[in-house]
Amino acid sequence: MSGSAAELAHRLAREAEAVCRHYLSNGRRQGRYWLAGDVQNTPGRSLFVRLTGPDSGRGAAGKWTDAATGQHGDLLDLIRLNRGLARLGDTLGEARAFLGLPKPELPRAPAGAGSSDTARRLFALSRPIVGTLAETYLRNRGVTARLGGVPALRFHPACFYRAQDAAPRESWPALIAAVTGPDGTITGVHRTWLDRDGANKAPIATPRRALGHLLGNAVRFGVASDVMIAGEGIETMLSLRCVLPDMPMAAALSANHLAALILPPALRRLYIARDNDAAGRHAAMRLRDRARAAGIEARVLWPVTNDFNADVRRFGADALLVRLRIQLAPVDAERFALGDTRPVASG
């Protein structure tokens, strides 16, 4: 077993019960074991997974045996057989997604201070978003929130794009979002290239890319103090801002970065706006656990569809507000859920 696989197996073993509840949901806990019919999640009792135990050895947590077939292994083996994965890389990818871990990056030159400097220059060359194609794009995505007071978002009319290093350089209009650290310093930017009329994203291979230092940082809407909402995408957080305009928010830009978000020192309650996919669920779980370990109350906000932008586009702002009110702490529902969801033309 490779070092990376061994480390993943060890991490899975530390969360053995969570692994079983996810992949063997038809089973149940009995004492120190999780019982199921087989690795394919059939109901029964012949497969037993040890939930507690030492880090290594025959009785280690995460070790399992199927008494009916004689199969046995660790939780990586269980995931491989449960998902029918033939390649080790696919199994490791599935395990990383469950744990909310980033994908391993290919070797490349380190992103030095220059990448953040380039990001800051691009943001400085961009202009306020109101009245631009970037505002048109967000309105077409169902975002009715006021944008005039959102300094993190800007517009560039001709942002350079290359499909790959050897490809010719193109220029497209782009929504530019500042990625900042907890102290407000710009550490990077996120670019969303747009079609020439702003109706949709540009018809290019990767219309969304980030530049600079992202890990732990975020696109921030408002200044967080005691309460805030954190989520993945910019459009997701702007959709929540439609109905909670005064709630501080942070868009971490991906599930992996959400799990690693740096939390403000004065924070006492964190809402996590999770996306409704495996990566989103696991990232929310990891951030929730980190927050609680730091003494911060953490609550997960659940969308009906894939994410809150899809919710607001499908059901409207009023329905989104009704659903959020019952998920917020009563004091925050009174403080932030004002109930005025009337769309604005601009500003």
Side-chain angles (χ1 to χ4, degrees):
M1 182 179 289
S2 70
S4 60
E7 173 62 20
L8 286 172
H10 183 64
R11 286 173 177 261
L12 291 167
R14 292 202 300 260
E15 301 185 30
E17 184 169 350
V19 174
C20 291
R21 290 188 180 278
H22 182 74
Y23 293 99
L24 301 175
S25 57
N26 288 325
R28 61 187 179 86
R29 178 168 185 158
Q30 183 170 313
R32 294 179 298 170
Y33 295 92
W34 189 270
L35 304 181
D38 55 35
V39 292
Q40 275 76 44
N41 196 24
T42 303
R45 297 171 54 86
S46 68
L47 175 72
F48 53 95
V49 184
R50 185 178 287 273
L51 301 179
T52 60
D55 290 340
S56 61
R58 189 172 183 180
K63 296 293 186 180
W64 59 272
T65 300
D66 189 332
T69 66
Q71 285 180 301
H72 60 89
D74 61 19
L75 291 175
L76 273 179
D77 297 316
L78 189 147
I79 289 173
R80 174 177 58 82
L81 294 168
N82 178 272
R83 289 294 191 254
L85 301 172
R87 300 193 310 163
L88 176 61
D90 294 335
T91 303
L92 299 183
E94 173 70 20
R96 289 189 187 97
F98 175 84
L99 293 165
L101 298 175
K103 296 179 180 179
E105 296 186 357
L106 296 175
R108 60 180 181 178
S115 61
S116 291
D117 291 342
T118 300
R120 285 189 280 270
R121 285 196 297 271
L122 176 59
F123 191 76
L125 290 170
S126 302
R127 63 195 193 208
I129 191 174
V130 174
T132 69
L133 293 180
E135 182 182 20
T136 299
Y137 168 77
L138 291 174
R139 299 306 182 206
N140 286 340
R141 297 287 295 175
V143 174
T144 60
R146 295 187 180 276
L147 299 173
V150 184
L153 300 180
R154 305 194 79 172
F155 171 72
H156 196 294
C159 186
F160 292 133
Y161 170 85
R162 274 194 174 100
Q164 54 190 354
D165 290 342
R169 191 168 69 174
E170 309 172 42
S171 64
W172 293 85
L175 168 65
I176 308 295
V179 178
T180 60
D183 62 354
T185 301
I186 295 178
T187 63
V189 292
H190 185 272
R191 298 155 293 177
T192 304
W193 282 278
L194 308 175
D195 211 342
R196 307 296 183 191
D197 60 2
N200 293 291
K201 298 180 190 68
I204 53 181
T206 53
R208 288 176 171 166
R209 285 182 184 171
L211 170 69
H213 295 281
L214 309 182
L215 190 64
N217 303 316
V219 178
R220 301 176 194 275
F221 307 113
V223 179
S225 55
D226 57 335
V227 181
M228 67 175 286
I229 302 178
E232 293 184 38
I234 294 170
E235 292 162 32
T236 291
M237 304 315 295
L238 288 175
S239 299
L240 292 173
R241 193 174 171 84
C242 293
V243 296
L244 302 172
D246 297 320
M247 174 76 83
M249 301 183 185
L253 302 177
S254 74
N256 293 328
H257 288 109
L258 177 63
L261 182 67
I262 298 172
L263 300 175
L267 193 66
R268 60 180 177 81
R269 183 159 46 252
L270 172 68
Y271 294 98
I272 305 168
R274 49 149 268 202
D275 284 5
N276 229 352
D277 55 20
R281 288 192 294 271
H282 298 315
M285 179 178 67
R286 302 292 291 183
L287 181 58
R288 179 203 63 191
D289 291 347
R290 284 183 51 229
R292 290 177 178 175
I296 299 167
E297 179 187 353
R299 300 187 177 200
V300 177
L301 303 178
W302 303 72
V304 177
T305 58
N306 292 336
D307 56 46
F308 285 104
N309 182 249
D311 275 13
V312 79
R313 296 173 71 192
R314 180 171 178 180
F315 304 112
D318 289 329
L320 177 60
L321 180 60
V322 169
R323 180 170 173 81
L324 284 174
R325 274 191 178 130
I326 64 176
Q327 299 187 63
L328 298 176
V331 65
D332 294 331
E334 180 69 22
R335 178 181 173 187
F336 295 108
L338 304 179
D340 184 1
T341 60
R342 291 172 296 175
V344 295
S346 65

